Amino acid sequence: MMRLYDNPASPFCRKVRALLIETGQMDEVEILPALGHALDTDAMPLAENPLGKIPVLTRDEGPALYDSRVICRYLDARARANLYPETRQWEVLTLEATAEGIMDAAVLMVYEIRCRPEDERSPAWIEAQWDKIERALDAVNARWMSHLTGKLTMGQIAMGCALGYLDFRHAGRTWRQGRGALAAWEAEFARRPAMQDTAPGR
Ligand code: BEZ
C-alpha cells in the first residue's frame, strides 16, 4: 500500500489527490495528514523527506518520492494514464511548472503572514509574490489557452489546483479580472469530480 503525506489545504497535495482520482488509484493510497510547516516540523515526514515538505509518497518497492512533480510523473507512469503525452510533453511540463510557480508564490504570501510576527513582515515582498502570479496568469490567459483545452494533461490539473488555491486563500485579489478566457476555463474545469472532491476547505 502506498501512503501519501498530505495537507488538505495544500495545492501541491491537491494535485496528487486529483491525479489519483482521475487515474483510478485512490484506493491504493492511504492518506496521512501532515499538518506542519518549516517552523513546526513535528508532524512532518522528515525521515521520508529531509526537506520536511509535502506531498511525500511512500511505496513498498523503493524509497519515498517527492516533490509533487516527481510523484505525479510516477503515478501517471504507474497507471499508464498518459497525462504527459509525448507529442507535447515539454509544453505540459512547462504549464505544470507555471502552475507550481503560482502555488509557490501564493503559499509564500500566506506563510509570510502566518509564520512571521507582524514587525518582521515585508509588504513589498508579499506584493512581489503577487506580481509573479499576475504575470504568470497574464501569460497563461494570452498564450497557453490551447494547452488547457483538449485531452486531460497534468498541466491542466496543476493549473486547476493553482487557481483553486488563489480562490481559497487570495479571494480578495480578483484574479479573474481581465482574464476572461482563463476564468471560463477554470469554471468548467472545476466541475470535474476530481476537482470537486479535492477542493480545499470542504
Ligand atoms: C495553507 O494552509 O494554505 C497551506 C497548507 C499547507 C501547504 C500549503 C498551503
Side-chain angles (χ1 to χ4, degrees):
M1 186 89 172
M2 297 182 284
R3 291 185 300 171
L4 179 70
Y5 289 93
D6 174 66
N7 182 332
S10 162
F12 304 99
C13 295
R14 186 184 184 191
K15 269 177 68 186
V16 177
R17 280 182 276 108
L19 176 152
L20 286 169
I21 294 171
E22 293 282 4
T23 59
Q25 299 182 88
M26 196 48 125
D27 289 349
E28 296 175 64
V29 182
E30 182 186 1
I31 307 286
L32 300 175
L35 308 181
H37 53 71
L39 299 180
D40 174 16
T41 55
D42 287 356
M44 304 313 276
L46 299 182
E48 288 79 5
N49 177 358
L51 302 172
K53 297 172 94 173
I54 53 168
V56 173
L57 184 81
T58 68
R59 315 167 287 161
D60 292 336
E61 71 276 17
L65 299 179
Y66 53 87
D67 56 9
S68 74
R69 277 184 257 186
V70 174
I71 295 171
C72 289
R73 282 301 282 259
Y74 169 76
L75 290 171
D76 174 70
R78 185 177 184 276
R80 295 188 174 84
N82 201 25
L83 293 173
Y84 304 86
E86 206 174 331
T87 50
R88 28 184 200 135
Q89 65 171 313
W90 305 117
E91 289 79 10
V92 170
L93 287 169
T94 302
L95 188 59
E96 184 181 15
T98 305
E100 290 243 349
I102 292 172
M103 294 177 194
D104 278 333
V107 169
L108 284 174
M109 290 169 74
V110 169
Y111 275 54
E112 179 80 0
I113 290 169
R114 187 180 293 172
C115 299
R116 282 185 196 248
E118 206 166 339
D119 60 344
E120 289 179 19
R121 289 178 203 156
S122 165
W125 193 86
I126 291 175
E127 289 315 306
Q129 300 307 312
W130 185 252
D131 289 347
K132 283 191 206 185
I133 295 170
E134 296 252 46
R135 288 193 301 267
L137 294 174
D138 284 342
V140 174
N141 189 64
R143 299 198 295 276
W144 285 88
M145 293 313 301
S146 65
H147 291 279
L148 289 177
T149 52
K151 197 180 153 301
L152 183 69
T153 70
M154 201 56 221
Q156 295 173 10
I157 295 175
M159 193 55 66
C161 294
L163 298 176
Y165 189 74
L166 297 183
D167 284 336
F168 180 51
R169 292 293 190 214
H170 302 291
R173 299 260 185 180
T174 61
W175 68 263
R176 290 175 177 80
Q177 213 167 321
R179 301 185 185 103
L182 187 56
W185 175 82
E186 190 276 338
E188 187 62 30
F189 195 79
R191 296 173 55 196
R192 296 181 79 88
M195 298 305 286
Q196 299 269 314
D197 289 355
T198 57
R202 284 174 69 243

